[in-house]
Amino acid sequence: MDAERLILETNHAGKIKKLPKFPPNKKLEAIFLIVDDVALRPVRRTPHADIVGKIKIKGDLLDTVPATAWEFSP
């Protein structure tokens, strides 16, 4: 069994706008999941208005904690 992910769009009446082509003489099984519009838009993260322009990075952020504090053993 092969799987292919398709995202289909509907019109204002709930009918599928454009059907894709399927292989001839095959049975298809479909599971429909409603995709939230929010999940499709990329999230743009911004700092809080109270701290915009007030923070200055003065060094390497990764060296702020010693390696021994991570309890990491290679």
Side-chain angles (χ1 to χ4, degrees):
M1 179 188 311
D2 292 333
E4 184 176 337
R5 182 177 186 208
L6 300 172
I7 296 180
L8 305 174
E9 293 185 44
T10 58
N11 63 12
H12 67 281
K15 298 190 183 212
I16 296 175
K17 288 183 180 179
K18 182 180 176 186
L19 283 175
K21 288 194 172 196
F22 297 109
N25 302 320
K26 299 286 183 180
K27 289 184 179 181
L28 300 171
E29 178 181 355
I31 299 172
F32 294 99
L33 304 173
I34 306 301
V35 179
D36 294 332
D37 289 339
V38 176
L40 296 177
R41 286 184 257 136
V43 177
R44 173 99 169 119
R45 297 180 59 115
T46 57
H48 192 272
D50 291 345
I51 62 171
V52 171
K54 295 180 180 177
I55 296 175
K56 294 183 182 177
I57 298 174
K58 296 185 177 183
D60 188 1
L61 295 177
L62 297 178
D63 286 339
T64 57
V65 177
T68 55
W70 289 96
E71 298 176 8
F72 175 73
S73 344

